[in-house]
Amino acid sequence: QVQLVESGGGTVPPGGSLRLSCAGSGITYNSYCMAWFRQAPGKEREGVASVTSAGGHASHSDSVKGRFTISLDTAKTTVYLQMDSLKPEDSGVYYCAHEAGCHSGPLPLIRDPGRANSWGQGTQVIVSS
């Protein structure tokens, strides 16, 4: 059974940086995708970024492109989200997700959270002065 454990959330001022980590265990597929989603109070869960295990192909949502960077260490089955130039609207709970047998690139997963097979428990990010 796949388990995902996020860490790295916290409170930072606008313009600050954070690095989130998500350690996966029990991942047996050779080809998979991992992604970050976020959810602010009263809003729907939003796909932020996704990456493939095969080739490390990444996709980022328009709202974070140029500020956030997703990366995957396949040896550790750990996905990271480097978040720079943070804005108050980036605040929310950030969730890690895993899609087994991902063969269609990184984009479908962040467009459709229903494709995920496993979710982490979430880590809170607050951007505030």
Side-chain angles (χ1 to χ4, degrees):
Q1 185 169 347
V2 174
Q3 291 190 327
L4 304 172
V5 180
E6 300 104 332
S7 61
T11 301
V12 294
S17 297
L18 278 175
R19 188 191 194 211
L20 305 183
S21 300
C22 172
S25 60
I27 294 175
T28 57
Y29 276 84
N30 289 329
S31 177
Y32 59 91
C33 285
M34 294 187 78
W36 288 97
F37 291 79
R38 66 187 181 189
Q39 189 166 20
K43 294 189 176 181
E44 292 188 356
R45 192 168 294 191
E46 171 193 14
V48 174
S50 181
V51 62
T52 66
S53 64
H57 302 290
S59 182
H60 299 79
S61 68
D62 289 342
S63 61
V64 306
K65 201 169 291 183
R67 301 187 298 120
F68 291 11
T69 304
I70 190 171
S71 60
L72 174 64
D73 184 333
T74 54
K76 298 180 180 179
T77 56
T78 297
V79 64
Y80 304 94
L81 186 68
Q82 178 65 42
M83 305 187 295
D84 298 317
S85 302
L86 282 160
K87 304 176 181 179
E89 53 263 42
D90 294 318
S91 298
V93 179
Y94 282 69
Y95 298 91
C96 173
H98 165 263
E99 177 188 3
C102 172
H103 300 293
S104 302
L107 197 55
L109 177 55
I110 60 173
R111 286 180 171 175
D112 180 9
R115 299 175 67 97
N117 303 109
S118 303
W119 291 89
Q121 81 288 352
T123 185
Q124 180 86 48
V125 172
I126 299 174
V127 184
S128 174
S129 55

